[in-house]
Amino acid sequence: MKLLHIDSSVLGPHSVSRQVSAAIVDRLRQATPSLDITYRDLTQTPLAHLSGSHLAAAQGAPAPAELGPDLAASAAALDEFLAADIVVIGAPMYNFTIPSQLKAWIDRILVVGKTFKYGAAGPEGLAGGKRVIVAISRGGYYGVETPYAAGEHLESYLRWVFGFMGITGVEFIPADGVQVGPDHREKSLAGALQAATSLRAA
Ligand SMILES: Cc1cc2nc3c(=O)[nH]c(=O)nc-3n(C[C@H](O)[C@H](O)[C@H](O)COP(=O)(O)O)c2cc1C
């Protein structure tokens, strides 16, 4: 069974989402030592933003030579995703949504004919059957009862993106309010780490 572990926080060892995503992977690895784990750090090895040349190449136009390495990296990212049975993602909230590094990765995996297609009844997901677990960290609180609920475009966005590819039941482990104060951060992180240890085995 293959697990793809992705991190996208720019805060290195100070990152909350990295600590929680690592705890999730540890829990799953302990429960299933035979897991085949691939790690991708989107800040250490970022994928470029899409350009007109990328889109032309996807339509079959000859790609400029300088795009070659990037297209290879793109194909590798898509292959890793398609091969994974479980995907664990560390996803911090930056400016109300995912980091641009994570968006650049999504731009490489949300590919017509690979992870979704247009059928007679509209778009159909082609990547169903994967288990996706997301460690999200947010500076504030975005629950439905809060004044900031309408600004939540992290969890809702990822739920939509994976649902579009046919992946339902995405599991979110949130650490919220981590910028509200040290006590909030400590309690929230402890709760998320505890939730990670209680995850169902792979
Ligand atoms: C550039 C930047 C933008 C941020 N924007 C938001 C935001 O819009 N809403 C929020 O609640 N917290 C925001 N925060 C706080 C982060 O969500 C919080 O620090 C979280 O722990 C980041 O996850 P990480 O520690 O894994 O990087 C922002 C932090 C940074 C560095």
Side-chain angles (χ1 to χ4, degrees), residues 4 13-14 40 50 77 93 103 116 133 138 140 145 160:
L4 173 61
H14 306 291
R40 181 176 281 270
L50 291 181
M93 175 180 273
K103 176 61 165 55
F116 72 97
I133 310 168
R138 295 177 282 216
E145 74 290 352
W160 175 264

Side-chain angles (χ1 to χ4, degrees), residues 11-89:
L11 296 180
H14 306 291
S15 158
V16 172
S17 62
R18 283 175 185 266
Q19 288 180 67
V20 179
S21 75
I24 293 169
V25 173
D26 280 350
R27 151 71 186 147
L28 298 178
R29 188 195 284 118
Q30 277 166 22
T32 310
S34 61
L35 269 183
D36 176 0
I37 299 174
T38 298
Y39 182 61
R40 181 176 281 270
D41 185 332
L42 294 172
T43 67
Q44 294 292 317
T45 316
L47 293 156
H49 288 166
L50 291 181
S51 67
S53 299
H54 287 95
L55 301 185
Q59 301 289 325
E66 64 272 18
L67 210 58
D70 182 78
L71 292 179
S74 190
L78 178 60
D79 287 348
E80 273 169 19
F81 177 71
L82 290 172
D85 303 290
I86 306 172
V87 183
V88 176
I89 303 174

Side-chain angles (χ1 to χ4, degrees), residues 74-202:
S74 190
L78 178 60
D79 287 348
E80 273 169 19
F81 177 71
L82 290 172
D85 303 290
I86 306 172
V87 183
V88 176
I89 303 174
M93 175 180 273
Y94 294 158
N95 298 321
F96 306 107
T97 188
I98 58 171
S100 57
Q101 290 89 344
L102 185 55
K103 176 61 165 55
W105 177 77
I106 288 172
D107 286 341
R108 305 309 181 104
I109 63 157
L110 204 54
V111 178
V112 68
K114 297 288 187 182
T115 51
F116 72 97
K117 69 174 182 179
Y118 294 107
E124 287 173 35
L126 299 175
K130 297 182 194 302
R131 181 181 182 192
V132 175
I133 310 168
V134 190
I136 53 178
S137 49
R138 295 177 282 216
Y141 294 99
Y142 293 84
V144 284
E145 74 290 352
T146 68
Y148 293 100
E152 206 295 314
H153 306 286
L154 169 68
E155 180 175 342
S156 54
Y157 174 72
L158 291 173
R159 196 186 303 283
W160 175 264
V161 162
F162 287 109
F164 192 80
M165 292 187 279
I167 302 168
T168 53
V170 177
E171 298 161 67
F172 289 94
I173 298 191
D176 284 330
V178 302
Q179 298 284 20
V180 173
D183 49 339
H184 285 253
R185 180 185 173 101
E186 198 179 316
K187 193 171 165 204
S188 190
L189 177 56
L193 293 173
Q194 178 58 42
T197 65
S198 311
L199 275 172
R200 133 177 103 77

